[in-house]
Amino acid sequence: MANYPAGLAEIVEDMQSITDRQERIDLLIEMADRFDGAKVPASVATKPYTAEHKAPACESDAYVWAVDRPDGTLDFYFDVLNPQGLSAMAMSVLLKETLDGQPVEQVAQVNTDIVPQLFGREITMGKGAGLSGIVSLVQYEAKKRLT
Amino acid sequence: MAQDIAQRGYARPDVLVSTEWVAQHHQDANLRIIESNEDPLLYASGHIAGAVQVDWTHDLNDALRRDYLNKAGFEALMARIGVTPETLVIFYGDKNNWWATYAFWVFQLFGHTNAKVMDGGRAKWEREGRPLTRAVPSYSATQYTAPDRDDTQIRAFRDEVLQHSNAGKPLIDVRSVAEYTGERLHMPDYPNEGALRGGHIPGAKNVPWSKAVNTDDGTFRPADELRALYEQQQGLSPDKDVVTYCRIGERSSHTWFVLKYLLGYPNVRNYDGSWTEWGNLVGVPIER
């Protein structure tokens, strides 16, 4: 986690220190409530979205886009087609708010370990797989810029 | 738009209630609405007024042994959510009630038969623009005396499933086609919860659980369509002893519910060990 962008590392550390399950849920819902700020604008993509942007294994139908900034960093955008996909929305907001404009080398280090660190180890397999799919796609976009 | 529940030809239409019924009755005395979801954020983000949450990991599973809560645990759960043996419980949840039927199934292990499922689940309630609240209700603790958990009637264990398979009795694998064929193990990122091999239990037929619901509103399909799905296409019949399974027993509880209550099969058991057990067992055969 040492190489993660500082904002993400801080949140992951905070979430890992939470022992009260309800407190964790409340924080994640607060993130999900800000999803409009992470949602892909029409200038980047419109429906129907192409399959290359679809997060693998995500049953909430989450999509990820990365847009290059002139300084070489990235802006990430998301959509979650399932209106009940709150966890996917929370994950999207977290990634948007902590990875935009961060060094691509650091973004490429972010891996699926953060899913149980953020959501707790009791998350179901299906949900964990979907959230991991979102993270993997973000990581893939960053790694693509490094090759 | 789905037919009225009473007109769909179910063997036990009384185990379902509509969203409209819940809207009219959710504050009735001696009734408890229970939400069970896969997404842990959903209940806290808003739920039907008066509904309590029953979480499959925290409330229904033993933390240290792969098993369900015991008699004392169930009694404590019922006391916490203010339920007595006479309370009518109504389950609903996400994923077209996949988790709601799972909770319903666990409740039946303890004989709480005064139970129903809200047809269409949470998605239908939301789609109809019905209200949700974040206020978590508090109920006075009750005294609930449960019988010992009965694992003999609706639950199947691995040795029984092996005998069942060897005898050529019907098994319904409700996972996706890719999981059934072994093309895909569900969770490559979570090897501790995955399976060593992909495929299915020998002799199992594949009927993905979601085929039992209407895609537009998540309600259960009428009985004639369900019979076509399970009987005409897969050769099941009510006289058969049927075992359902999936990966950990949640999706298959949905199909268990369909076969047992909507089609009225008297002998249906859910193998909750499912593929995460069978796919890792030493010495048992699989098919691909």
Side-chain angles (χ1 to χ4, degrees):
Chain A
M1 202 168 70
N3 291 325
Y4 285 4
L8 177 62
E10 187 180 334
I11 289 178
V12 168
E13 191 174 333
D14 287 349
M15 294 293 272
Q16 283 188 287
S17 70
I18 293 173
T19 55
D20 181 76
R21 183 167 175 264
Q22 191 57 47
E23 184 183 351
R24 178 193 301 274
I25 286 171
D26 289 343
L27 285 169
L28 290 167
I29 288 174
E30 283 178 24
M31 291 179 198
D33 284 344
R34 300 197 296 273
F35 181 68
D36 280 351
K39 196 167 182 179
V40 65
S43 57
V44 174
T46 54
K47 295 175 187 170
Y49 304 136
T50 54
E52 68 195 269
H53 294 286
K54 190 171 191 300
C58 184
E59 294 178 354
S60 293
D61 289 332
Y63 288 78
V64 179
W65 292 264
V67 176
D68 294 273
R69 289 186 182 183
D71 65 0
T73 65
L74 298 169
D75 283 320
F76 289 97
Y77 298 100
F78 302 84
D79 204 354
V80 177
L81 301 188
N82 177 3
Q84 297 190 332
L86 287 195
S87 292
M89 292 181 197
M91 177 59 86
S92 301
V93 168
L94 180 75
L95 295 171
K96 171 80 177 164
E97 293 179 351
T98 60
L99 302 185
D100 274 10
Q102 298 302 306
V104 173
E105 294 80 3
Q106 287 189 347
V107 176
Q109 300 287 321
V110 176
N111 64 52
T112 56
D113 288 349
I114 67 170
V115 174
Q117 290 166 345
L118 292 166
F119 286 81
R121 295 208 162 272
E122 67 272 17
I123 195 164
T124 66
M125 285 172 63
K127 188 59 63 185
L131 297 172
S132 295
I134 297 172
V135 176
S136 297
L137 202 46
V138 165
Q139 186 184 38
Y140 167 76
E141 290 291 342
K143 283 183 171 176
K144 210 163 62 173
R145 269 71 176 183
L146 297 175
T147 56
Chain B
M1 189 171 165
Q3 291 174 296
D4 285 347
I5 292 165
Q7 296 173 342
R8 294 185 214 159
Y10 298 143
R12 289 282 309 276
D14 57 298
V15 296
L16 290 179
V17 290
S18 66
T19 50
E20 178 58 26
W21 188 94
V22 172
Q24 297 295 326
H25 293 275
H26 69 279
Q27 302 286 22
D28 285 3
N30 217 19
L31 178 148
R32 188 70 67 248
I33 309 288
I34 298 177
E35 178 164 340
S36 289
N37 297 318
E38 180 183 46
D39 194 316
L41 306 188
L42 274 176
Y43 174 83
S45 74
H47 47 264
I48 297 174
V52 295
Q53 177 173 223
V54 168
D55 180 86
W56 78 286
T57 46
H58 286 267
D59 295 322
L60 299 180
N61 278 268
D62 188 296
L64 300 178
R65 168 195 303 256
R66 185 172 175 183
D67 203 353
Y68 299 104
L69 71 180
N70 59 18
K71 168 182 158 68
F74 188 74
E75 289 174 342
L77 172 62
M78 295 300 97
R80 179 176 69 74
I81 62 175
V83 166
T84 71
E86 290 73 39
T87 305
L88 169 62
V89 294
I90 310 282
F91 294 94
Y92 78 101
D94 63 354
K95 305 278 185 186
N96 294 330
N97 279 326
W98 142 9
W99 298 92
T101 53
Y102 186 58
F104 179 102
W105 177 74
V106 173
F107 273 50
Q108 300 321 299
L109 295 173
F110 292 97
H112 195 103
T113 55
N114 200 12
K116 301 177 190 292
V117 171
M118 186 177 83
D119 195 32
R122 181 183 170 108
K124 186 168 191 287
W125 180 276
E126 282 193 56
R127 201 177 299 116
E128 292 169 346
R130 299 183 187 276
L132 297 171
T133 177
R134 290 191 176 184
V136 176
S138 175
Y139 296 106
S140 301
T142 52
Q143 287 283 330
Y144 190 109
T145 302
D148 286 330
R149 196 183 69 215
D150 182 356
D151 292 336
T152 65
Q153 303 300 309
I154 59 172
R155 188 179 184 192
F157 292 92
R158 60 191 178 204
D159 290 342
E160 297 164 344
V161 175
L162 182 59
Q163 290 174 9
H164 192 91
S165 173
N166 288 340
K169 292 181 178 177
L171 286 145
I172 299 296
D173 183 325
V174 313
R175 298 173 300 162
S176 63
V177 174
E179 290 170 272
Y180 175 80
T181 59
E183 175 189 330
R184 175 175 174 228
L185 289 168
H186 189 75
M187 275 289 289
D189 295 325
Y190 284 65
N192 58 320
E193 293 184 2
L196 193 62
R197 295 169 300 165
H200 56 267
I201 297 174
K205 303 285 182 61
N206 182 219
V207 186
W209 71 279
S210 56
K211 290 195 171 185
V213 297
N214 293 302
T215 52
D216 56 344
D217 65 359
T219 56
F220 288 101
R221 292 168 68 183
D224 57 346
E225 294 182 20
L226 295 174
R227 281 194 201 94
L229 183 63
Y230 295 103
E231 297 179 359
Q232 290 154 31
Q233 295 175 27
Q234 302 298 345
L236 292 189
S237 54
D239 61 309
K240 301 264 174 65
D241 174 12
V242 183
V243 169
T244 63
Y245 74 94
C246 56
R247 184 174 45 82
I248 58 170
E250 13 65 301
R251 285 174 284 181
S252 49
S253 63
H254 190 276
T255 300
W256 167 84
F257 180 87
V258 169
L259 293 174
K260 184 163 186 66
Y261 293 96
L262 304 188
L263 293 184
Y265 284 35
N267 298 310
V268 190
R269 288 174 293 160
N270 182 25
Y271 171 38
D272 56 277
S274 276
W275 196 253
T276 49
E277 179 173 72
W278 194 275
N280 288 312
L281 272 179
V282 174
V284 300
I286 67 165
E287 276 181 356
R288 290 195 172 103

